[in-house]
Amino acid sequence: MTKDDGEMVEEQKKKPCRFWIWALSSVLFRLILISYAGNLNLSSRPEVSTPLTSIRRLAEGYWLKQASMSPYAGSMYHGSPLLLSLLGPLTVQRIKGQPSHLFCSLVFVIADILSAILLRGIGKKLQMAYGLNARLLGLLKSPRDKGILPCGDIAALVYLWNPFTIVCCVGLSTSPIENLAVILALNGAVTRRVPLAAFGLVMATHLSLYPAILTIPVIFLLGYGLDAPPLKLFLQTRNVESGNRSSTSSASKQAKSKPTAQLPFLWKTVVHFVFWALVWSLCVMVLCRLSLSKHGGLEEMFKRTYGFILSIEDLSPNIGVFWYFFAEVFDFFRNFFLIVFHVNILFMLLPLAIRLKHRPCFLAFIYLAISSLLKSYPSVGDSALYLSLWALFVNELADMKFSFFLFCGYLGVSLLSPVMHNLWIWRGTGNANFYFGNAIGYACFQIVFVVESVSAMLNHDRALKKCNPNHQKVKN
Amino acid sequence: MARTVLTWWIPLLILQSFLLAIAFGSNEVEEEFSESLLLKPLPDRKVLAHFHFENRAPPSNSHGRHHHLFPKAISQLVQKFRVKEMELSFTQGRWNHEHWGGSDTLSSMNAKPVGVELWAVFDVPRSEVDTSWKNLTHALSGLFCASINFLESSTSYAAPTWGFGRSSDKLRYGSLPREAVCTENLTPWLKLLPCRDKDGISALMNRPSVYRGFYHSQRLHLSMIDSGMLLEQSLTVVLQPDTVYDGKDLQPSWSLSSLFGRKVVGKCVLAKSSNVYLQMEGLAHPEAHTLLKNEEFELSIKPDRTLRETSSVLFIFDIDKSSDSEPFDLSLTWKLPSKWSCQQAPLHASRFLMGSGNERGAIAILLKATESQDKLSGKDITNGGRCRIKANVFQIFPWYVKVYYHTLQIFVDQQQNTSSEVLKKINVSPSADKMSSGMMEMMLELPCEVKSVAISIEYDKGFLHIDEYPPDANQGFDIPSALISFPDHHASLDFKEELSTLPLLSKFKDKSLVRSYTEVLLVPLTTPDFSMPYNVITITCTVFALYFGSLLNALRRRIGEEERFLKSKGKKTGGLKQLLSRFTAKIRGRPVESPSSEPTAAAQSSVLSSKLLFKIILVAGVAAAWQYFSTDK
């Protein structure tokens, strides 16, 4: 990551060209791995494929559907019926001499590329906004300042070259598609394409439920605009500027130029968004209904997808901690702990939304990190998503604490996890606690990561205030 | 002592039934009981003994609820649960299909899977079948001192549609491979016989000798027929006669007393017929052996009748003549070495697990051609000009073996085959986690010249909650036997003479489906650490408390400057909000103790007091409510 940063800073002009070279090489790398995917056996790794995202289960669901049974019969498939219609036919297509799920792998590679491009779009917007805000606050004088990192390119490359993403893509988990839907929602909200944002959000929620909490940041994005330093900084600047000389930067955001304490909330856009979200969810429902008309219908779909996510029925190991917790906990307390752990996600939504409402993109990143931490069936694909979103904020989070420690932690956990799994499952020399310990370590690192990111962002805002020249002026 | 009591009772009973018969009209069908024992030397120096007891009762309304010979417990089961047909078997040991036969009636009826197997067809509406099944399992569990009640849970039984050989939608099938079978199951089974094991053929059932055998299967088959109820009880044992090896490769000679340690001293008085049969297979010149003595072997008792069948000779003995002074002790002495082989099923089925580790694996069923294959290809089972063998595979998967049906592969003669060529029909009901077991029925149509067929299917091993593991969790879990049946092949003895009076023989004459059960598979499943619940709960909760606390702390942490700002902001009332920006600037510019602090403080104190008042009222309200509800109780 840091290597990327270094290179990115070096040459601004050659950037697009270089970006595409790196992106293409990542695609090539994926294709090479795909041709050896059979030997890597990644698709059966518990870190990569969860009961929700495993392609084998999807293929089983498709087989059941072809045998005119409900794809949800037999608690194998727990994904979306739309994904089944999309990927199902590809799972049975085989070319002689090629790996079995070649077409699916290609779909995942395409999903990854699309995600990267969309991330780059988000990053460009954020970068522009950052530059604009910095100039507004008087931190940067020249418009072509080299201090701003091209966060879009960095995030896209972090996404493409993240081992987690590569492993998920090659390991045939459906998480690249879920990630694509999330990034689509964010991209739509950032570029203010309301239907796109609504579509992405509805699809992401449909595919994996947890992105439903992204409604808050997306509404903030549409209502308040892009990430910006806290409002009072602008107000101070504005006051000072109006006090000293007439405002010159009238090109700044209309909303911010008003001398009010409240940012105007664009109700119209938000209502527009809600309307589109309803339209898209209606479409999704109708399509699901059509594809499941013969067996079960929507009720069974909700029971087998969302119900499966919420009730944590499958106790097969993954990198989360809930599988072992619910394998061990007394049946009497099971429902209590289920509620506690699910509510844990919801509890944090409001405090974060209040404190970070001026930075909706960052809020979305934190929400995704939290949901990947508290998910019932987490996989490294979720980590890949929030890590690349984190890279969008390289400018703001440049002085994040413990970054090296966290990097080592993630590396260590991802190396130890297969070892522990092997010791426990294959060799039988270790027991479940080995793997669970690893999962606990991973959870701890994620917690430190989230907490440090939040405090780094808050510190950044404070630092902005401190080094704000106007602020200094006011003080004197 | 018991025998004397019995001899007192029996004439009375007979008299009573006789009187009753007169009272209710002479055309009334009587309850009938017959006993028989079939002995058969096996090619691998063992002896098979098959006890067969048949109990017929006319429709239950003829005598009210009373029976003379038919066990009341069973007739109550029929009445209560509306059982149409039922079979329960307790088995220990594995039937050796290669040496003990695979396609004759005896093996296809009595070669049962290890443990308990129960199937039943009910005569109730479809919605009530499961309830009847559950009640039946509990009743049988009590009746036979076995844990048949474990078949009650929906994860352990299945509803076969056509793969089991009987197509009925009211059929339920379940098996418990781990059930240990012992005398406590045999005793209640014997209690159903009119003479128990006191008299007649059943007196041979000396427990140590019966349980010393290589194979032991006790079966109870109940069926409703036109003329009432038919209860068949049979016990099949494969015993090894005690002989000293004489170096001449002779088959071991045996007698009833050497096999069982007991002799038959007379028939069960209540039995209508009581016979002992000796079936000799693979005799060189069947015609010459109708004599009592010949150059190959010698029988101690002269058979009453001799029957010839296509491949075997049946000697029939009547035990009416035996008495205390002259017990019936049949013995067979071999004089010349003799070798023969049994009739085998068209394909020999075996099943095994593939893969290692505790994550996933595959189950493979291997069907291998047997010697009878050659005969078959000569036989004209033509189907559109080509000879075909039909084989049905019926398999139950427990839910913790999560089978991927799309990975089903069929290899014919080691060549992977596209399914449609061989697989004519498949019916799958996938298992639901902790809800129901999975079932797979397949109909294969194979060319007759096939040498081997392998069916493989992949599965993932489930991970269970700690309470769901049995006490010895590391022993592994059993997958019940698969059943392979050959619908085009029927086993029956083809007698030259017409015989319908002898129950066992008429049974053997009926065509029965050739079936064979595969081995029970033992799947080791990963176990969690059983001593960890408290540790796991505390560690996990600590980690999440850490998350919650530190994140909340990061969110609400303020540095000194902000604190001061907030403090001053808190002093402002709502009306001043418009001037917020100006005010901040002013306060920042000036020292903290501003002149306007006093009036705002007064305002604050009023706000505070109202807040305080509200809190007091709230607490008082809660207290009053608490008081109210607690006194109410």
Side-chain angles (χ1 to χ4, degrees), chain B residues 487-527:
Chain B
D488 283 349
H489 297 76
H490 291 281
S492 66
L493 288 181
D494 190 17
F495 296 114
K496 303 231 163 62
E497 291 88 351
E498 197 53 47
L499 262 174
S500 60
T501 48
L502 300 170
L504 182 63
L505 293 189
S506 61
K507 180 111 203 111
F508 279 2
K509 241 185 139 179
D510 293 343
K511 288 197 166 182
S512 64
L513 205 61
V514 174
R515 15 167 112 186
S516 64
Y517 287 90
T518 62
E519 299 91 339
V520 169
L521 293 178
L522 187 66
V523 184
L525 291 188
T526 328
T527 54

Short mmCIF file of all heavy atoms in Angstrom, two decimals, chain B residues 487-527:
data_model
loop_
_atom_site.label_atom_id
_atom_site.label_comp_id
_atom_site.label_asym_id
_atom_site.label_seq_id
_atom_site.Cartn_x
_atom_site.Cartn_y
_atom_site.Cartn_z
N PRO B 487 -35.15 -54.60 -9.36
CA PRO B 487 -36.59 -54.81 -9.57
C PRO B 487 -36.92 -55.87 -10.62
O PRO B 487 -38.01 -56.43 -10.59
CB PRO B 487 -37.10 -53.44 -9.99
CG PRO B 487 -35.91 -52.64 -10.35
CD PRO B 487 -34.74 -53.24 -9.67
N ASP B 488 -35.99 -56.16 -11.51
CA ASP B 488 -36.29 -57.18 -12.52
C ASP B 488 -35.96 -58.59 -12.06
O ASP B 488 -36.23 -59.55 -12.76
CB ASP B 488 -35.52 -56.89 -13.81
CG ASP B 488 -36.16 -55.77 -14.57
OD1 ASP B 488 -37.29 -55.41 -14.20
OD2 ASP B 488 -35.55 -55.27 -15.52
N HIS B 489 -35.32 -58.69 -10.92
CA HIS B 489 -34.92 -60.00 -10.43
C HIS B 489 -35.74 -60.36 -9.22
O HIS B 489 -35.87 -59.57 -8.30
CB HIS B 489 -33.44 -60.02 -10.05
CG HIS B 489 -32.56 -59.75 -11.21
ND1 HIS B 489 -32.39 -58.50 -11.73
CD2 HIS B 489 -31.82 -60.58 -11.97
CE1 HIS B 489 -31.57 -58.56 -12.76
NE2 HIS B 489 -31.22 -59.81 -12.94
N HIS B 490 -36.29 -61.55 -9.26
CA HIS B 490 -37.08 -61.98 -8.13
C HIS B 490 -36.54 -63.30 -7.63
O HIS B 490 -36.19 -64.17 -8.41
CB HIS B 490 -38.55 -62.12 -8.50
CG HIS B 490 -39.17 -60.80 -8.77
ND1 HIS B 490 -39.57 -59.96 -7.78
CD2 HIS B 490 -39.43 -60.16 -9.94
CE1 HIS B 490 -40.05 -58.85 -8.31
NE2 HIS B 490 -39.98 -58.96 -9.62
N ALA B 491 -36.46 -63.37 -6.32
CA ALA B 491 -35.95 -64.60 -5.73
C ALA B 491 -37.12 -65.47 -5.36
O ALA B 491 -38.08 -65.02 -4.74
CB ALA B 491 -35.13 -64.26 -4.50
N SER B 492 -37.08 -66.70 -5.76
CA SER B 492 -38.10 -67.64 -5.29
C SER B 492 -37.56 -69.04 -5.48
O SER B 492 -36.72 -69.29 -6.35
CB SER B 492 -39.39 -67.47 -6.08
OG SER B 492 -39.18 -67.84 -7.42
N LEU B 493 -38.02 -69.92 -4.62
CA LEU B 493 -37.64 -71.32 -4.79
C LEU B 493 -38.66 -71.95 -5.73
O LEU B 493 -39.86 -71.78 -5.57
CB LEU B 493 -37.64 -72.03 -3.44
CG LEU B 493 -36.50 -71.64 -2.50
CD1 LEU B 493 -36.59 -72.43 -1.22
CD2 LEU B 493 -35.16 -71.86 -3.16
N ASP B 494 -38.15 -72.63 -6.66
CA ASP B 494 -39.01 -73.16 -7.72
C ASP B 494 -39.18 -74.66 -7.51
O ASP B 494 -38.39 -75.46 -8.01
CB ASP B 494 -38.34 -72.84 -9.08
CG ASP B 494 -39.29 -73.15 -10.20
OD1 ASP B 494 -40.49 -73.28 -9.93
OD2 ASP B 494 -38.81 -73.24 -11.35
N PHE B 495 -40.17 -75.01 -6.72
CA PHE B 495 -40.33 -76.42 -6.40
C PHE B 495 -41.03 -77.16 -7.54
O PHE B 495 -41.90 -76.60 -8.20
CB PHE B 495 -41.16 -76.59 -5.12
CG PHE B 495 -40.48 -76.02 -3.92
CD1 PHE B 495 -41.00 -74.93 -3.28
CD2 PHE B 495 -39.29 -76.58 -3.46
CE1 PHE B 495 -40.35 -74.40 -2.18
CE2 PHE B 495 -38.66 -76.05 -2.36
CZ PHE B 495 -39.18 -74.96 -1.73
N LYS B 496 -40.64 -78.39 -7.67
CA LYS B 496 -41.28 -79.18 -8.72
C LYS B 496 -42.66 -79.64 -8.26
O LYS B 496 -43.61 -79.70 -9.01
CB LYS B 496 -40.41 -80.39 -9.07
CG LYS B 496 -39.01 -79.95 -9.51
CD LYS B 496 -38.59 -80.56 -10.81
CE LYS B 496 -37.43 -79.84 -11.45
NZ LYS B 496 -36.19 -79.84 -10.68
N GLU B 497 -42.76 -79.92 -6.94
CA GLU B 497 -44.04 -80.39 -6.42
C GLU B 497 -44.91 -79.21 -6.00
O GLU B 497 -44.42 -78.14 -5.69
CB GLU B 497 -43.82 -81.31 -5.20
CG GLU B 497 -43.22 -82.64 -5.52
CD GLU B 497 -41.70 -82.59 -5.49
OE1 GLU B 497 -41.16 -81.48 -5.39
OE2 GLU B 497 -41.06 -83.66 -5.56
N GLU B 498 -46.17 -79.47 -5.98
CA GLU B 498 -47.11 -78.45 -5.52
C GLU B 498 -47.19 -78.52 -4.00
O GLU B 498 -47.44 -79.57 -3.43
CB GLU B 498 -48.49 -78.73 -6.17
CG GLU B 498 -49.43 -77.54 -6.12
CD GLU B 498 -48.82 -76.28 -6.70
OE1 GLU B 498 -48.23 -76.35 -7.81
OE2 GLU B 498 -48.92 -75.23 -6.06
N LEU B 499 -46.96 -77.41 -3.35
CA LEU B 499 -46.94 -77.41 -1.89
C LEU B 499 -47.52 -76.11 -1.38
O LEU B 499 -47.00 -75.04 -1.68
CB LEU B 499 -45.50 -77.51 -1.39
CG LEU B 499 -44.98 -78.86 -0.98
CD1 LEU B 499 -43.53 -78.71 -0.68
CD2 LEU B 499 -45.72 -79.38 0.22
N SER B 500 -48.57 -76.15 -0.68
CA SER B 500 -49.06 -74.88 -0.14
C SER B 500 -49.35 -74.97 1.35
O SER B 500 -49.61 -74.00 2.00
CB SER B 500 -50.33 -74.47 -0.88
OG SER B 500 -51.29 -75.48 -0.70
N THR B 501 -49.27 -76.18 1.87
CA THR B 501 -49.66 -76.34 3.27
C THR B 501 -48.57 -75.85 4.22
O THR B 501 -48.87 -75.41 5.32
CB THR B 501 -49.95 -77.81 3.57
OG1 THR B 501 -48.87 -78.58 3.05
CG2 THR B 501 -51.25 -78.25 2.95
N LEU B 502 -47.33 -75.93 3.79
CA LEU B 502 -46.26 -75.58 4.71
C LEU B 502 -45.96 -74.08 4.62
O LEU B 502 -45.58 -73.59 3.56
CB LEU B 502 -45.01 -76.39 4.39
CG LEU B 502 -45.25 -77.89 4.51
CD1 LEU B 502 -44.07 -78.66 3.96
CD2 LEU B 502 -45.53 -78.29 5.94
N PRO B 503 -46.13 -73.35 5.70
CA PRO B 503 -46.06 -71.89 5.62
C PRO B 503 -44.71 -71.35 5.14
O PRO B 503 -44.67 -70.45 4.32
CB PRO B 503 -46.36 -71.45 7.05
CG PRO B 503 -46.49 -72.65 7.87
CD PRO B 503 -46.47 -73.85 7.01
N LEU B 504 -43.63 -71.91 5.65
CA LEU B 504 -42.33 -71.37 5.26
C LEU B 504 -42.08 -71.58 3.78
O LEU B 504 -41.58 -70.72 3.09
CB LEU B 504 -41.24 -72.04 6.10
CG LEU B 504 -39.83 -71.55 5.84
CD1 LEU B 504 -39.70 -70.08 6.19
CD2 LEU B 504 -38.81 -72.34 6.60
N LEU B 505 -42.48 -72.75 3.30
CA LEU B 505 -42.22 -73.05 1.89
C LEU B 505 -43.08 -72.20 0.98
O LEU B 505 -42.63 -71.73 -0.06
CB LEU B 505 -42.44 -74.53 1.63
CG LEU B 505 -41.45 -75.44 2.31
CD1 LEU B 505 -41.61 -76.86 1.81
CD2 LEU B 505 -40.03 -74.97 2.07
N SER B 506 -44.34 -72.00 1.40
CA SER B 506 -45.18 -71.15 0.55
C SER B 506 -44.63 -69.74 0.52
O SER B 506 -44.74 -69.03 -0.47
CB SER B 506 -46.61 -71.18 1.05
OG SER B 506 -46.67 -70.68 2.36
N LYS B 507 -44.03 -69.36 1.62
CA LYS B 507 -43.40 -68.04 1.69
C LYS B 507 -42.24 -67.98 0.69
O LYS B 507 -42.05 -67.01 -0.02
CB LYS B 507 -42.89 -67.84 3.11
CG LYS B 507 -42.21 -66.55 3.34
CD LYS B 507 -43.05 -65.66 4.26
CE LYS B 507 -42.69 -64.23 4.06
NZ LYS B 507 -43.71 -63.43 3.43
N PHE B 508 -41.45 -69.06 0.69
CA PHE B 508 -40.30 -69.09 -0.20
C PHE B 508 -40.69 -69.15 -1.66
O PHE B 508 -39.93 -68.78 -2.53
CB PHE B 508 -39.42 -70.31 0.14
CG PHE B 508 -38.52 -70.07 1.32
CD1 PHE B 508 -38.57 -68.86 2.00
CD2 PHE B 508 -37.63 -71.03 1.73
CE1 PHE B 508 -37.74 -68.63 3.08
CE2 PHE B 508 -36.80 -70.81 2.81
CZ PHE B 508 -36.86 -69.61 3.49
N LYS B 509 -41.88 -69.66 -1.87
CA LYS B 509 -42.32 -69.78 -3.25
C LYS B 509 -42.73 -68.44 -3.84
O LYS B 509 -42.66 -68.22 -5.04
CB LYS B 509 -43.48 -70.78 -3.33
CG LYS B 509 -43.14 -71.95 -4.19
CD LYS B 509 -44.31 -72.84 -4.36
CE LYS B 509 -44.34 -73.30 -5.80
NZ LYS B 509 -45.41 -74.20 -6.08
N ASP B 510 -43.20 -67.56 -2.95
CA ASP B 510 -43.59 -66.23 -3.43
C ASP B 510 -42.37 -65.51 -3.97
O ASP B 510 -41.28 -65.66 -3.46
CB ASP B 510 -44.16 -65.40 -2.27
CG ASP B 510 -45.47 -65.98 -1.78
OD1 ASP B 510 -46.05 -66.79 -2.51
OD2 ASP B 510 -45.87 -65.63 -0.65
N LYS B 511 -42.63 -64.71 -4.99
CA LYS B 511 -41.50 -63.97 -5.56
C LYS B 511 -41.19 -62.78 -4.66
O LYS B 511 -42.07 -62.05 -4.25
CB LYS B 511 -41.87 -63.48 -6.95
CG LYS B 511 -41.92 -64.62 -7.94
CD LYS B 511 -41.88 -64.10 -9.34
CE LYS B 511 -41.58 -65.25 -10.29
NZ LYS B 511 -41.49 -64.80 -11.67
N SER B 512 -39.94 -62.65 -4.35
CA SER B 512 -39.56 -61.48 -3.55
C SER B 512 -38.43 -60.76 -4.27
O SER B 512 -37.66 -61.35 -5.01
CB SER B 512 -39.12 -61.91 -2.16
OG SER B 512 -37.98 -62.71 -2.27
N LEU B 513 -38.39 -59.47 -4.00
CA LEU B 513 -37.42 -58.59 -4.65
C LEU B 513 -36.01 -58.95 -4.17
O LEU B 513 -35.80 -59.17 -2.99
CB LEU B 513 -37.75 -57.17 -4.24
CG LEU B 513 -37.34 -56.03 -5.14
CD1 LEU B 513 -38.01 -56.18 -6.49
CD2 LEU B 513 -37.74 -54.73 -4.50
N VAL B 514 -35.07 -59.00 -5.08
CA VAL B 514 -33.68 -59.23 -4.68
C VAL B 514 -33.11 -57.91 -4.19
O VAL B 514 -33.12 -56.91 -4.91
CB VAL B 514 -32.85 -59.74 -5.87
CG1 VAL B 514 -31.38 -59.83 -5.47
CG2 VAL B 514 -33.35 -61.08 -6.31
N ARG B 515 -32.66 -57.88 -2.96
CA ARG B 515 -32.11 -56.64 -2.43
C ARG B 515 -30.88 -56.93 -1.61
O ARG B 515 -30.71 -58.03 -1.08
CB ARG B 515 -33.11 -55.91 -1.54
CG ARG B 515 -34.28 -56.74 -1.10
CD ARG B 515 -35.02 -56.08 -0.03
NE ARG B 515 -36.32 -55.67 -0.49
CZ ARG B 515 -37.16 -54.95 0.23
NH1 ARG B 515 -36.81 -54.55 1.41
NH2 ARG B 515 -38.33 -54.64 -0.24
N SER B 516 -30.03 -55.95 -1.52
CA SER B 516 -28.89 -56.11 -0.63
C SER B 516 -28.57 -54.77 0.00
O SER B 516 -28.70 -53.72 -0.62
CB SER B 516 -27.69 -56.66 -1.40
OG SER B 516 -27.28 -55.75 -2.37
N TYR B 517 -28.21 -54.86 1.26
CA TYR B 517 -27.86 -53.65 2.00
C TYR B 517 -26.35 -53.50 1.98
O TYR B 517 -25.62 -54.48 2.05
CB TYR B 517 -28.34 -53.77 3.44
CG TYR B 517 -29.82 -53.64 3.61
CD1 TYR B 517 -30.65 -54.75 3.55
CD2 TYR B 517 -30.40 -52.40 3.83
CE1 TYR B 517 -32.02 -54.63 3.71
CE2 TYR B 517 -31.76 -52.27 3.99
CZ TYR B 517 -32.57 -53.39 3.94
OH TYR B 517 -33.91 -53.25 4.10
N THR B 518 -25.91 -52.24 1.93
CA THR B 518 -24.47 -52.00 1.97
C THR B 518 -24.03 -51.83 3.41
O THR B 518 -24.83 -51.88 4.34
CB THR B 518 -24.11 -50.74 1.19
OG1 THR B 518 -24.78 -49.64 1.83
CG2 THR B 518 -24.56 -50.83 -0.24
N GLU B 519 -22.75 -51.60 3.57
CA GLU B 519 -22.19 -51.40 4.90
C GLU B 519 -22.70 -50.09 5.50
O GLU B 519 -23.08 -49.17 4.79
CB GLU B 519 -20.66 -51.29 4.84
CG GLU B 519 -19.94 -52.48 4.29
CD GLU B 519 -19.74 -52.42 2.80
OE1 GLU B 519 -20.47 -51.66 2.13
OE2 GLU B 519 -18.85 -53.11 2.30
N VAL B 520 -22.65 -50.04 6.80
CA VAL B 520 -22.88 -48.77 7.50
C VAL B 520 -21.56 -48.01 7.48
O VAL B 520 -20.50 -48.59 7.63
CB VAL B 520 -23.31 -49.05 8.95
CG1 VAL B 520 -23.30 -47.78 9.77
CG2 VAL B 520 -24.68 -49.68 8.98
N LEU B 521 -21.64 -46.71 7.21
CA LEU B 521 -20.41 -45.92 7.17
C LEU B 521 -20.26 -45.12 8.45
O LEU B 521 -21.24 -44.64 9.01
CB LEU B 521 -20.46 -44.96 5.99
CG LEU B 521 -20.43 -45.59 4.62
CD1 LEU B 521 -20.54 -44.51 3.57
CD2 LEU B 521 -19.15 -46.37 4.42
N LEU B 522 -19.04 -45.00 8.86
CA LEU B 522 -18.75 -44.24 10.07
C LEU B 522 -18.05 -42.95 9.65
O LEU B 522 -16.96 -42.99 9.10
CB LEU B 522 -17.87 -45.07 11.00
CG LEU B 522 -17.61 -44.47 12.37
CD1 LEU B 522 -18.87 -44.41 13.17
CD2 LEU B 522 -16.57 -45.29 13.09
N VAL B 523 -18.69 -41.84 9.90
CA VAL B 523 -18.12 -40.54 9.52
C VAL B 523 -17.66 -39.82 10.78
O VAL B 523 -18.47 -39.49 11.63
CB VAL B 523 -19.17 -39.67 8.81
CG1 VAL B 523 -18.56 -38.37 8.34
CG2 VAL B 523 -19.78 -40.40 7.68
N PRO B 524 -16.37 -39.59 10.92
CA PRO B 524 -15.94 -38.78 12.07
C PRO B 524 -16.26 -37.31 11.81
O PRO B 524 -15.98 -36.79 10.73
CB PRO B 524 -14.44 -39.03 12.15
CG PRO B 524 -14.04 -39.51 10.82
CD PRO B 524 -15.25 -40.01 10.09
N LEU B 525 -16.85 -36.66 12.77
CA LEU B 525 -17.14 -35.23 12.63
C LEU B 525 -16.25 -34.46 13.59
O LEU B 525 -15.88 -34.96 14.65
CB LEU B 525 -18.59 -34.94 12.98
CG LEU B 525 -19.68 -35.44 12.05
CD1 LEU B 525 -21.01 -34.86 12.48
CD2 LEU B 525 -19.40 -35.03 10.63
N THR B 526 -15.91 -33.24 13.20
CA THR B 526 -15.09 -32.41 14.08
C THR B 526 -15.87 -32.08 15.34
O THR B 526 -17.06 -31.84 15.29
CB THR B 526 -14.79 -31.08 13.39
OG1 THR B 526 -14.70 -31.31 12.02
CG2 THR B 526 -13.54 -30.48 13.91
N THR B 527 -15.16 -32.06 16.42
CA THR B 527 -15.83 -31.69 17.66
C THR B 527 -15.31 -30.34 18.12
O THR B 527 -14.14 -30.03 17.95
CB THR B 527 -15.54 -32.72 18.76
OG1 THR B 527 -14.11 -32.85 18.87
CG2 THR B 527 -16.14 -34.05 18.43
#
